[in-house]
Amino acid sequence: MTELEFKKLRKRIGVSQGKLGEMLGVHTRTIQNWEKGTVIPESKRALLCKLESDFNLNKKPVSGLDIDEDEYRGNNIVGKPMIPIGAVAGFTTSGDYSVRYEDCERYVVPEFDKYNYEFLIRLSGSSMYPKYSNGDILACCEVETILFFQWGKIYVIDSSQGALVKRVYEDIDNPDNVILVSENKEKYPPFAIPKSDIRRLFIVLGVIRVE
Protein backbone atom coordinates (compact mmCIF):
# COMPACT_ATOMS: atom_id res chain seq x y z
CA MET A 1 0.00 0.00 0.00
CA THR A 2 1.45 3.35 -1.07
CA GLU A 3 1.21 6.50 1.02
CA LEU A 4 -1.42 7.86 -1.41
CA GLU A 5 -3.49 4.67 -1.20
CA PHE A 6 -3.31 4.78 2.60
CA LYS A 7 -4.40 8.40 2.73
CA LYS A 8 -7.31 7.71 0.36
CA LEU A 9 -8.32 4.74 2.49
CA ARG A 10 -8.36 6.90 5.63
CA LYS A 11 -10.53 9.47 3.87
CA ARG A 12 -12.91 6.76 2.66
CA ILE A 13 -13.27 5.51 6.21
CA GLY A 14 -13.85 9.14 7.16
CA VAL A 15 -11.66 9.69 10.21
CA SER A 16 -8.93 12.11 11.20
CA GLN A 17 -5.32 11.06 11.60
CA GLY A 18 -5.71 11.14 15.38
CA LYS A 19 -8.89 9.05 15.34
CA LEU A 20 -7.39 6.46 13.02
CA GLY A 21 -4.37 6.28 15.32
CA GLU A 22 -6.70 5.49 18.23
CA MET A 23 -8.44 2.79 16.21
CA LEU A 24 -5.13 1.19 15.26
CA GLY A 25 -3.46 1.66 18.62
CA VAL A 26 -0.71 3.95 17.33
CA HIS A 27 0.29 7.59 17.79
CA THR A 28 -0.99 10.29 15.42
CA ARG A 29 2.59 10.91 14.31
CA THR A 30 2.76 7.28 13.16
CA ILE A 31 -0.28 7.82 10.95
CA GLN A 32 1.33 10.97 9.54
CA ASN A 33 4.52 9.01 8.81
CA TRP A 34 2.55 6.27 7.05
CA GLU A 35 0.95 8.92 4.87
CA LYS A 36 4.44 10.11 3.98
CA GLY A 37 5.56 6.65 2.87
CA THR A 38 6.79 4.83 5.99
CA VAL A 39 6.18 1.07 5.72
CA ILE A 40 2.99 -0.09 7.45
CA PRO A 41 3.39 -3.30 9.51
CA GLU A 42 1.45 -6.32 8.24
CA SER A 43 -0.57 -6.55 11.46
CA LYS A 44 -1.81 -2.98 10.98
CA ARG A 45 -2.51 -3.59 7.28
CA ALA A 46 -4.84 -6.44 8.24
CA LEU A 47 -6.64 -4.20 10.73
CA LEU A 48 -6.94 -1.47 8.13
CA CYS A 49 -8.57 -3.90 5.71
CA LYS A 50 -11.06 -4.90 8.41
CA LEU A 51 -11.86 -1.25 9.16
CA GLU A 52 -12.50 -0.54 5.47
CA SER A 53 -14.61 -3.69 5.15
CA ASP A 54 -16.73 -2.68 8.15
CA PHE A 55 -17.08 0.81 6.71
CA ASN A 56 -18.27 -0.50 3.33
CA LEU A 57 -20.84 -2.71 5.02
CA ASN A 58 -22.24 0.13 7.11
CA LYS A 59 -22.05 2.88 4.52
CA LYS A 60 -25.40 4.31 3.49
CA PRO A 61 -25.95 6.56 0.48
CA VAL A 62 -26.91 10.16 1.13
CA SER A 63 -29.37 11.56 -1.37
CA GLY A 64 -30.19 15.06 -2.48
CA LEU A 65 -26.61 16.40 -2.48
CA ASP A 66 -24.62 16.89 -5.65
CA ILE A 67 -21.14 16.24 -4.24
CA ASP A 68 -18.43 13.67 -4.91
CA GLU A 69 -18.06 10.41 -3.01
CA ASP A 70 -14.91 11.82 -1.43
CA GLU A 71 -17.20 14.33 0.27
CA TYR A 72 -18.59 11.65 2.55
CA ARG A 73 -17.32 10.42 5.90
CA GLY A 74 -19.43 7.34 6.46
CA ASN A 75 -22.84 8.91 6.91
CA ASN A 76 -21.35 12.36 7.58
CA ILE A 77 -20.70 14.88 4.84
CA VAL A 78 -17.19 16.20 4.49
CA GLY A 79 -16.60 19.68 3.15
CA LYS A 80 -13.85 22.25 3.28
CA PRO A 81 -12.11 23.24 6.51
CA MET A 82 -13.07 26.37 8.39
CA ILE A 83 -9.88 27.85 9.84
CA PRO A 84 -9.34 30.83 12.15
CA ILE A 85 -8.17 33.83 10.13
CA GLY A 86 -5.23 34.20 12.49
CA ALA A 87 -4.10 30.69 11.57
CA VAL A 88 -3.69 31.39 7.86
CA ALA A 89 0.09 31.34 8.16
CA GLY A 90 0.10 27.88 9.68
CA PHE A 91 -2.66 26.25 7.68
CA THR A 92 -1.58 23.08 5.89
CA THR A 93 -2.83 19.65 4.94
CA SER A 94 0.50 17.99 5.69
CA GLY A 95 0.33 17.92 9.46
CA ASP A 96 3.59 19.85 9.84
CA TYR A 97 1.97 22.97 11.34
CA SER A 98 -0.29 23.71 14.28
CA VAL A 99 -3.48 23.91 12.21
CA ARG A 100 -4.26 20.84 10.13
CA TYR A 101 -7.08 20.05 7.73
CA GLU A 102 -8.04 17.08 9.89
CA ASP A 103 -8.50 19.23 12.98
CA CYS A 104 -10.86 21.78 11.43
CA GLU A 105 -14.64 21.81 11.29
CA ARG A 106 -15.77 21.25 7.72
CA TYR A 107 -18.55 22.72 5.63
CA VAL A 108 -20.12 21.85 2.29
CA VAL A 109 -20.92 24.81 0.04
CA PRO A 110 -21.98 23.36 -3.34
CA GLU A 111 -22.10 26.81 -4.97
CA PHE A 112 -18.36 27.20 -4.41
CA ASP A 113 -17.28 23.74 -5.60
CA LYS A 114 -16.66 24.87 -9.18
CA TYR A 115 -14.11 27.39 -7.93
CA ASN A 116 -11.92 24.73 -6.31
CA TYR A 117 -11.62 26.67 -3.08
CA GLU A 118 -9.37 25.21 -0.37
CA PHE A 119 -10.75 26.53 2.91
CA LEU A 120 -13.12 28.95 4.59
CA ILE A 121 -12.37 31.74 7.05
CA ARG A 122 -14.68 33.94 9.10
CA LEU A 123 -13.96 37.63 8.64
CA SER A 124 -13.40 39.77 11.70
CA GLY A 125 -13.69 43.55 11.80
CA SER A 126 -15.20 46.26 9.62
CA SER A 127 -12.34 47.21 7.31
CA MET A 128 -13.98 45.55 4.28
CA TYR A 129 -17.50 46.86 4.94
CA PRO A 130 -19.83 47.19 3.03
CA LYS A 131 -18.35 44.58 0.65
CA TYR A 132 -17.92 42.15 3.54
CA SER A 133 -19.29 42.40 7.06
CA ASN A 134 -17.94 41.20 10.37
CA GLY A 135 -18.73 37.48 10.60
CA ASP A 136 -18.95 36.84 6.85
CA ILE A 137 -17.46 33.55 5.70
CA LEU A 138 -14.95 33.78 2.84
CA ALA A 139 -13.97 30.96 0.51
CA CYS A 140 -10.26 31.11 -0.33
CA CYS A 141 -7.71 29.47 -2.60
CA GLU A 142 -3.94 29.78 -2.32
CA VAL A 143 -2.04 31.53 -5.10
CA GLU A 144 1.06 29.45 -5.78
CA THR A 145 3.05 32.30 -7.33
CA ILE A 146 3.00 34.81 -4.50
CA LEU A 147 4.00 37.81 -6.61
CA PHE A 148 1.32 37.26 -9.25
CA PHE A 149 -1.60 39.58 -8.56
CA GLN A 150 -4.88 40.33 -10.24
CA TRP A 151 -4.96 44.03 -9.44
CA GLY A 152 -8.11 45.12 -7.65
CA LYS A 153 -9.03 41.63 -6.46
CA ILE A 154 -9.51 40.80 -2.80
CA TYR A 155 -6.92 38.59 -1.14
CA VAL A 156 -6.09 37.18 2.25
CA ILE A 157 -2.47 38.14 2.77
CA ASP A 158 -0.19 36.49 5.29
CA SER A 159 2.38 39.10 6.32
CA SER A 160 4.38 40.24 9.33
CA GLN A 161 1.32 42.33 10.26
CA GLY A 162 -0.82 39.19 10.46
CA ALA A 163 -3.54 37.97 8.11
CA LEU A 164 -5.00 40.89 6.14
CA VAL A 165 -8.09 40.87 3.93
CA LYS A 166 -7.66 43.66 1.38
CA ARG A 167 -7.91 44.65 -2.25
CA VAL A 168 -4.45 44.66 -3.80
CA TYR A 169 -3.25 47.32 -6.23
CA GLU A 170 0.00 48.09 -7.98
CA ASP A 171 2.24 50.66 -6.32
CA ILE A 172 3.15 52.83 -9.30
CA ASP A 173 5.75 54.76 -7.30
CA ASN A 174 7.53 51.68 -5.99
CA PRO A 175 7.40 48.37 -7.91
CA ASP A 176 8.74 46.54 -4.84
CA ASN A 177 5.55 47.34 -2.93
CA VAL A 178 1.83 46.71 -3.31
CA ILE A 179 -0.98 48.92 -2.07
CA LEU A 180 -3.54 47.33 0.24
CA VAL A 181 -6.96 48.97 0.17
CA SER A 182 -9.92 48.52 2.50
CA GLU A 183 -13.51 49.02 1.40
CA ASN A 184 -14.04 51.21 4.47
CA LYS A 185 -11.51 53.81 3.31
CA GLU A 186 -12.58 56.58 5.68
CA LYS A 187 -11.68 54.53 8.73
CA TYR A 188 -8.94 52.40 7.16
CA PRO A 189 -6.82 54.35 4.66
CA PRO A 190 -4.78 52.49 2.01
CA PHE A 191 -1.20 51.58 2.83
CA ALA A 192 1.79 49.98 1.16
CA ILE A 193 3.67 46.85 2.14
CA PRO A 194 6.78 45.33 0.53
CA LYS A 195 6.15 42.35 -1.72
CA SER A 196 8.91 40.62 0.22
CA ASP A 197 6.73 40.82 3.35
CA ILE A 198 4.07 38.60 1.78
CA ARG A 199 4.62 35.05 2.99
CA ARG A 200 1.48 33.43 1.60
CA LEU A 201 -1.32 34.69 -0.60
CA PHE A 202 -4.93 33.52 -0.94
CA ILE A 203 -7.52 34.88 -3.34
CA VAL A 204 -11.09 35.27 -2.08
CA LEU A 205 -13.49 33.41 -4.36
CA GLY A 206 -16.83 33.89 -2.63
CA VAL A 207 -18.69 34.91 0.50
CA ILE A 208 -21.48 33.58 2.70
CA ARG A 209 -23.44 36.10 4.76
CA VAL A 210 -25.96 35.41 7.49
CA GLU A 211 -28.27 38.34 8.11
Side-chain angles (χ1 to χ4, degrees):
M1 180 182 294
T2 67
E3 60 269 26
L4 181 59
E5 291 171 337
F6 173 72
K7 190 169 185 177
K8 285 184 176 180
L9 185 151
R10 177 175 65 79
K11 289 188 174 182
R12 284 199 301 273
I13 295 173
V15 293
S16 67
Q17 292 175 332
K19 182 62 178 178
L20 184 57
E22 292 178 13
M23 297 167 72
L24 297 175
V26 299
H27 194 273
T28 302
R29 179 59 64 182
T30 300
I31 300 296
Q32 293 170 353
N33 289 337
W34 289 350
E35 292 192 356
K36 292 177 182 177
T38 302
V39 176
I40 304 171
E42 287 297 328
S43 60
K44 300 303 181 184
R45 286 172 182 259
L47 186 52
L48 277 169
C49 290
K50 184 178 185 306
L51 287 174
E52 184 175 29
S53 177
D54 291 344
F55 165 76
N56 288 331
L57 287 173
N58 295 323
K59 184 177 179 182
K60 297 179 182 179
V62 180
S63 61
L65 294 170
D66 184 21
I67 55 178
D68 295 335
E69 283 190 0
D70 287 341
E71 297 297 308
Y72 294 96
R73 294 179 66 178
N75 295 330
N76 297 319
I77 301 168
V78 171
K80 300 295 184 178
M82 170 80 78
I83 69 168
I85 189 169
V88 164
F91 175 67
T92 180
T93 59
S94 68
D96 294 332
Y97 294 82
S98 58
V99 178
R100 301 192 307 267
Y101 181 97
E102 293 83 357
D103 295 333
C104 298
E105 292 185 358
R106 304 180 190 182
Y107 296 81
V108 173
V109 188
E111 291 82 359
F112 290 165
D113 285 348
K114 62 183 178 181
Y115 299 114
N116 296 317
Y117 72 105
E118 296 175 11
F119 64 90
L120 302 163
I121 61 170
R122 192 180 300 277
L123 186 65
S124 176
S126 61
S127 68
M128 294 305 290
Y129 184 82
K131 176 69 174 179
Y132 301 139
S133 297
N134 182 48
D136 282 356
I137 297 172
L138 308 181
C140 305
C141 179
E142 185 161 13
V143 178
E144 293 184 3
T145 304
I146 291 180
L147 299 182
F148 174 76
F149 297 95
Q150 299 179 54
W151 301 125
K153 293 288 188 180
I154 298 176
Y155 291 89
V156 178
I157 300 159
D158 170 31
S159 72
S160 62
Q161 300 182 44
L164 306 169
V165 180
K166 304 292 180 187
R167 290 193 187 274
V168 178
Y169 290 92
E170 181 180 13
D171 187 340
I172 298 175
D173 297 326
N174 187 344
D176 292 329
N177 292 345
V178 292
I179 304 296
L180 302 187
V181 179
S182 301
E183 294 292 287
N184 189 352
K185 299 182 182 66
E186 292 185 4
K187 189 173 181 180
Y188 302 92
F191 61 96
I193 68 167
K195 293 178 179 178
S196 59
D197 191 29
I198 300 173
R199 297 180 293 218
R200 300 181 75 183
L201 186 68
F202 308 86
I203 191 166
V204 175
L205 301 174
V207 60
I208 302 171
R209 175 172 297 173
V210 179
E211 298 293 346

